[in-house]
Amino acid sequence: MKFLYPFIFILPLLFFSCQNTNEKKEPEMKLSAKEQITLEKEINIILNSDDLMRFDKNILLVQSGQKITLTLNHIGKMDKSIMGHNFVLLKKDVDVIAFAEKAVLAKNNEYIPEGDEVIVYTKLLGGGESDTITFDAPEKGYYTYLCTFPGHWGLMKGKLVVK
Ligand SMILES: [Cu+2]
């Protein structure tokens, strides 16, 4: 009988872990009434960045045709020469790795390379600085945004989701 004891403990664990994975497959996407109202016509987005090389949001949800006002804050203290951050929104299907490599070479233009890959971008910010940009949401789809300061995009990137 002794050899059965481990199974008695393991079986309930298996059962509960299966239940958990089922829950993870269906994330809650319901919006409250208040959020649905703010998804009309215009939307204000505040995106924070910090000295730990992070954006505080990895997904920005908007609707096609909405007018977006986006404020990027650098809430850290470090100078932009060592911990500079920007928000650069790329067109669909841009090769992010190739773009980021090209951006590193564009130091004289705040790491915004020449070309037609970019929809919109902010200034390069140091600690305590902010920049606000306004643009129209592009057509439905998923768009990558990133910080193009050298070495940052691996951690500092996300998706603009246009519904
Ligand atoms: Cu950065």
Side-chain angles (χ1 to χ4, degrees):
M1 271 302 279
K2 252 187 176 176
F3 70 95
L4 278 175
Y5 288 159
F7 294 104
I8 292 168
F9 287 110
I10 289 167
L11 275 174
L13 285 176
L14 283 174
F15 178 72
F16 284 116
S17 61
C18 288
Q19 276 196 325
N20 283 340
T21 52
N22 282 342
E23 280 169 21
K24 279 174 194 162
K25 281 177 191 165
E26 295 171 26
E28 279 285 318
M29 286 297 284
K30 286 175 193 163
L31 298 172
S32 71
K34 193 179 172 189
E35 284 169 321
Q36 283 174 348
I37 290 166
T38 58
L39 286 177
E40 306 296 319
K41 284 186 184 171
E42 296 182 14
I43 185 166
N44 291 308
I45 295 172
I46 293 174
L47 184 63
N48 295 312
S49 58
D50 61 23
D51 287 341
L52 297 175
M53 213 191 292
R54 303 264 180 191
F55 286 130
D56 68 345
K57 297 176 189 75
N58 297 321
I59 291 181
L60 305 175
L61 180 62
V62 301
Q63 286 183 335
S64 182
Q66 257 181 339
K67 186 180 175 189
I68 301 169
T69 300
L70 182 141
T71 298
L72 176 67
N73 298 318
H74 188 323
I75 61 174
K77 292 190 166 67
M78 294 169 80
D79 191 84
K80 77 173 176 182
S81 62
I82 46 172
M83 188 52 75
H85 298 315
N86 59 13
F87 167 92
V88 179
L89 181 63
L90 301 181
K91 289 180 182 171
K92 263 184 199 169
D93 305 325
V94 172
D95 182 333
V96 180
I97 296 173
F99 176 80
E101 285 174 355
K102 197 164 78 161
V104 169
L105 304 174
K107 186 179 180 184
N108 292 338
N109 195 35
E110 296 197 323
Y111 303 105
I112 306 298
E114 289 196 10
D116 64 350
E117 298 100 330
V118 174
I119 296 173
V120 70
Y121 61 93
T122 66
K123 285 188 267 189
L124 187 69
L125 307 177
E129 295 179 332
S130 295
D131 190 28
T132 298
I133 53 174
T134 300
F135 59 102
D136 292 327
E139 64 182 58
K140 290 179 186 182
Y142 296 82
Y143 299 81
T144 299
Y145 64 85
L146 70 159
C147 171
T148 58
F149 191 90
H152 285 198
W153 73 275
L155 285 174
M156 299 188 73
K157 65 176 182 296
K159 291 284 183 192
L160 176 79
V161 180
V162 184
K163 294 274 183 184

